[in-house]
């Protein structure tokens, strides 16, 4: 599915539209692939079986495709509707498809399903400079993501550790006051609670006490 020209073209159109509309962040193919990689890694860390790991990656691939037919508002529901049709002939069980659809539909808020919590986490932590559009650098709080070069996470001793790696110029206070940052931290807390983990949020290896 990752090489399906229909999906590639859809995200290419989304990318062009977001630039023309002056949006703050990208919902393009690059973002989708990073979310897929995050899903794959968390599935490995949690020792998911192959079927579940692949299904979560599919949810990541399709989670923003609803931006094609509208803006960000309501895109989770449109993505779920698009996926429900697209996946019917892809050799998946109806149980798998149902889990994927639910996760996609939940990803803009606080998810209830296991797949959904993983997708929300994988999506929300993609707040590197690579994600920002030019207008995003003009918004207080959001602009601080421009100083984040990468995000690393692991699970050690039943603790989910998420480390935001910066260029050393980040204003942590401003970033933490931004509404979306609170969603990022909430996604970490929700995923940890789901799997009985504690968690640590770090910037350049220094733990944040929130």
């Amino acid at each position: 599915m990752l090489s399906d020209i229909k999906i590639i073209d859809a995200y290419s159109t989304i990318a062009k539209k977001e630039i023309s509309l002056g949006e703050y962040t990208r919902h393009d193919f690059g973002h989708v692939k990073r979310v897929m990689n995050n899903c794959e890694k968390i599935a490995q860390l949690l020792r998911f079986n192959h079927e579940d790991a692949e299904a979560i990656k599919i949810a990541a691939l399709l989670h923003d495709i609803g931006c094609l037919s509208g803006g960000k508002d309501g895109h989770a529901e449109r993505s779920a509707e698009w996926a429900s049709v697209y996946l019917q002939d892809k050799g998946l069980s109806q149980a798998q498809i149902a889990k994927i659809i639910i996760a996609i539909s939940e990803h803009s808020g606080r998810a209830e399903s296991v797949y959904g919590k993983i997708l929300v986490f994988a999506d929300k932590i993609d707040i590197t400079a690579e994600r920002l559009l030019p207008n995003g650098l003009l918004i207080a709080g959001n602009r601080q993501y421009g100083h984040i070069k990468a995000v690393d996470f692991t699970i050690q001793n039943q603790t989910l550790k998420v480390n935001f790696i910066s260029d050393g110029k980040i204003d942590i206070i401003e970033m933490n006051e931004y509404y979306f940052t609170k969603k990022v931290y909430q996604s970490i807390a929700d995923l940890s609670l789901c799997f009985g983990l504690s968690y640590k949020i770090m910037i350049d290896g220094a733990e944040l006490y929130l």
Side-chain angles (χ1 to χ4, degrees):
M1 295 182 205
L2 188 62
S3 60
D4 187 337
I5 193 66
K6 183 177 183 180
I7 293 175
I8 294 171
D9 284 349
Y11 281 113
S12 177
T13 300
I14 290 167
K16 292 173 184 175
K17 182 170 69 172
E18 289 182 328
I19 292 171
S20 69
L21 292 175
E23 298 285 1
Y24 300 161
T25 55
R26 304 177 194 275
H27 296 77
D28 60 4
F29 206 48
H31 164 62
V32 163
K33 287 191 286 187
R34 290 191 298 275
V35 175
M36 287 182 72
N37 288 338
N38 289 339
C39 283
E40 182 174 36
K41 182 175 180 180
I42 197 67
Q44 290 173 346
L45 290 170
L46 294 169
R47 299 180 180 178
F48 275 34
N49 62 40
H50 177 75
E51 182 179 289
D52 282 331
E54 287 302 302
I56 292 166
K57 287 169 61 180
I58 292 169
L61 175 64
L62 302 178
H63 80 280
D64 278 341
I65 208 159
C67 293
L68 183 65
S69 57
K72 288 186 294 185
D73 289 348
H75 82 277
E77 292 77 12
R78 292 193 302 275
S79 295
E81 291 170 3
W82 196 97
S84 68
V85 175
Y86 176 79
L87 293 174
Q88 291 303 318
D89 62 351
K90 296 298 184 289
L92 301 172
S93 70
Q94 290 303 310
Q96 280 181 298
I97 292 173
K99 290 179 181 179
I100 291 167
I101 299 303
I102 290 170
I104 293 172
S105 69
E106 291 180 327
H107 87 268
S108 286
R110 291 186 67 181
E112 296 295 330
S113 70
V114 173
Y115 278 21
K117 290 179 189 296
I118 293 173
L119 180 57
V120 171
F121 167 80
D123 182 34
K124 294 294 185 286
I125 65 169
D126 184 34
I127 53 170
T128 64
E130 201 170 6
R131 180 88 192 273
L132 293 186
L133 287 165
N135 279 357
L137 293 169
L138 304 177
I139 305 301
N142 194 80
R143 63 189 174 191
Q144 297 306 321
Y145 304 149
H147 297 294
I148 298 176
K149 299 186 295 182
V151 182
D152 185 41
F153 63 90
T154 190
I155 296 174
Q156 294 179 336
N157 300 320
Q158 289 297 107
T159 300
L160 174 61
K161 298 179 180 180
V162 182
N163 185 33
F164 297 94
I165 302 165
S166 82
D167 60 6
K169 300 176 182 179
I170 193 167
D171 183 333
I172 297 173
I173 294 175
E174 180 182 295
M175 186 183 79
N176 285 348
E177 289 176 347
Y178 190 51
Y179 83 97
F180 192 81
T181 305
K182 294 177 173 61
K183 291 187 176 183
V184 175
Y185 295 163
Q186 187 65 60
S187 76
I188 296 169
D190 287 348
L191 183 67
S192 300
L193 181 62
C194 180
F195 290 98
L197 305 171
S198 59
Y199 65 90
K200 288 184 180 181
I201 301 172
M202 297 170 283
I203 294 183
D204 299 323
E207 187 173 356
L208 293 177
Y209 294 94
L210 305 170

